[in-house]
Amino acid sequence: MTQDFDPQSRYGRKHAAQLQRAAAADDRADAGRDPDEPFVGWRFVRSRRWLGYFAIAVAFAVVCALFGMWQWDRRNEAVRQNAQVAQNYDHAPVPLDQALPQASSWQDDQEWLRVSVTGQYDVDAQLLVRNRVHNGQPGFEVLTPLVTDTGRAFIVDRGWVPTGNAQDAPDHVPAPPSGEVTAVVRLQESEPRIPGRSDPAESDQVQSVTLDDVAAKVDTPIWTGAYGQLASESPAPVEARPLGWERPNADTGLHFSYFIQWFLFAAGGFGFLAYVMVQEYRNLNQDDPEERERAQERQRRKDAKPKTDDEIEDELIASRR
């Protein structure tokens, strides 16, 4: 080996002593080597240990791909919801009996669809949905049945009111218009029950807008497939109605970025495996004259690069010791 070959600059501490002994060996050992004697080469990658490394890299890539596809599905769902909001939010109102011909009617593409319904509000059957938060403040949503001329009531969510100052209930719930009212609402699907929660007994409060549970608290038969978030009502109420809702945000979030990142992680796993493989190849084939020449060339290129400020500072500190 040539005396200017510094193994510690290329290989880890684990192999430093071995490489130094090889560098100090007599050059005549090379002269006595059979030129046809093979070096290790890349045969080590067929070992059981490296097969295990490959299996780990593949498993890691599969997991990353699954997470990436999950983010892709969430991104597609956000795109679908945005398209549905754009189509339905400002749609010309559709009569209720056309949109929901049966009491249990509901289709997923009807979310946010504007529907018109005419009837009289049944204030005595009005309910409050607990634990609804607006801008960090707890409150309630007001559910008022609108009884149509068919004798069936449609549940209208008239909006949000804050929790009272002295009790777990609103201080005041604005009254709806009296007499015949035509309301324009945006359809929402019945909410699922909240596990572990139940409606307070003997009260006008419910845990969620689960229409089957609401039906048990209202004497009049109701539509159980959907309810409506109030957009407007005619005639207008005497007092300001409960706080309404803002248009849903059209942002698709960071799902696409996360999708890209997960696949980069998968590729990075194989890249790290390739780096470790190359380092082991260099360690195992350090006595190969061709590999020594390549190592010296890498060192020359490294030495030719301008030193960074950190490297200069390290050298100054080392020289003062």
Side-chain angles (χ1 to χ4, degrees):
M1 287 189 178
T2 57
Q3 295 181 355
D4 60 348
F5 176 62
D6 182 6
Q8 294 191 36
S9 67
R10 296 169 188 79
Y11 308 109
R13 296 177 180 177
K14 180 178 179 180
H15 300 283
Q18 177 184 359
L19 295 179
Q20 286 176 346
R21 289 194 299 270
D26 192 0
D27 290 340
R28 289 176 298 177
D30 287 337
R33 180 185 296 275
D34 184 354
D36 296 328
E37 180 183 348
F39 290 92
V40 175
W42 294 98
R43 292 195 302 275
F44 66 92
V45 300
R46 298 197 295 267
S47 67
R48 181 177 301 177
R49 176 169 60 90
W50 271 94
L51 291 177
Y53 291 163
F54 286 130
I56 293 173
V58 170
F60 177 74
V62 169
V63 171
C64 290
L66 291 175
F67 277 112
M69 294 310 300
W70 174 62
Q71 290 292 342
W72 180 256
D73 290 340
R74 294 189 64 187
R75 181 257 181 193
N76 288 342
E77 177 61 20
V79 170
R80 185 198 66 79
Q81 291 179 352
N82 291 340
Q84 187 162 311
V85 169
Q87 177 180 348
N88 291 346
Y89 200 82
D90 296 318
H91 195 283
V94 178
L96 177 65
D97 58 355
Q98 292 184 18
L100 304 174
Q102 304 294 329
S104 60
S105 296
W106 171 256
Q107 296 179 8
D108 290 340
D109 61 0
Q110 290 181 315
E111 187 178 14
W112 304 110
L113 180 65
R114 292 211 305 168
V115 169
S116 63
V117 53
T118 300
Q120 293 187 348
Y121 282 117
D122 184 359
V123 180
D124 293 336
Q126 185 167 269
L127 300 173
L128 300 173
V129 188
R130 297 173 54 83
N131 301 317
R132 299 294 167 133
V133 179
H134 178 75
N135 289 336
Q137 183 177 0
F140 300 80
E141 288 183 12
V142 181
L143 304 181
T144 311
L146 185 61
V147 183
T148 67
D149 56 8
T150 64
R152 186 177 298 277
F154 184 75
I155 301 300
V156 177
D157 188 340
R158 299 192 66 241
W160 180 88
V161 291
T163 300
N165 295 320
Q167 73 283 334
D168 186 20
D171 287 336
H172 175 67
V173 178
S178 59
E180 185 174 87
V181 178
T182 297
V184 176
V185 301
R186 292 185 173 92
L187 292 183
Q188 298 292 314
E189 184 180 10
S190 175
E191 295 179 354
R193 291 186 178 90
I194 301 175
R197 294 187 184 180
S198 59
D199 297 339
E202 304 299 328
S203 74
D204 61 351
Q205 298 182 11
V206 293
Q207 293 291 336
S208 62
V209 192
T210 305
L211 294 176
D212 287 338
D213 295 341
V214 171
K217 289 179 173 284
V218 178
D219 294 333
T220 308
I222 69 171
W223 270 265
T224 56
Y227 70 101
Q229 291 183 350
L230 183 62
S232 64
E233 52 193 354
S234 179
V238 176
E239 54 184 330
R241 65 183 180 89
L243 185 66
W245 298 266
E246 297 179 355
R247 186 186 182 104
N249 191 349
D251 187 10
T252 57
L254 299 175
H255 300 307
F256 184 74
S257 297
Y258 293 149
F259 165 77
I260 297 296
Q261 288 176 14
W262 278 114
F263 279 90
L264 289 177
F265 290 155
F270 286 109
F272 177 76
L273 185 66
Y275 170 79
V276 174
M277 185 188 304
V278 170
Q279 295 305 311
E280 183 155 342
Y281 170 86
R282 292 174 179 174
N283 290 337
L284 295 175
N285 294 276
Q286 57 189 295
D287 291 329
D288 183 354
E290 294 183 359
E291 176 57 29
R292 291 204 301 271
E293 291 179 3
R294 287 192 292 267
Q296 291 171 357
E297 179 60 26
R298 289 192 295 270
Q299 183 63 36
R300 281 194 293 270
R301 289 198 299 266
K302 179 180 179 181
D303 295 339
K305 290 182 179 179
K307 294 182 180 180
T308 65
D309 293 340
D310 290 339
E311 291 173 339
I312 295 174
E313 183 178 354
D314 290 343
E315 289 181 357
L316 291 176
I317 294 175
S319 64
R320 295 172 182 173
R321 291 178 181 175

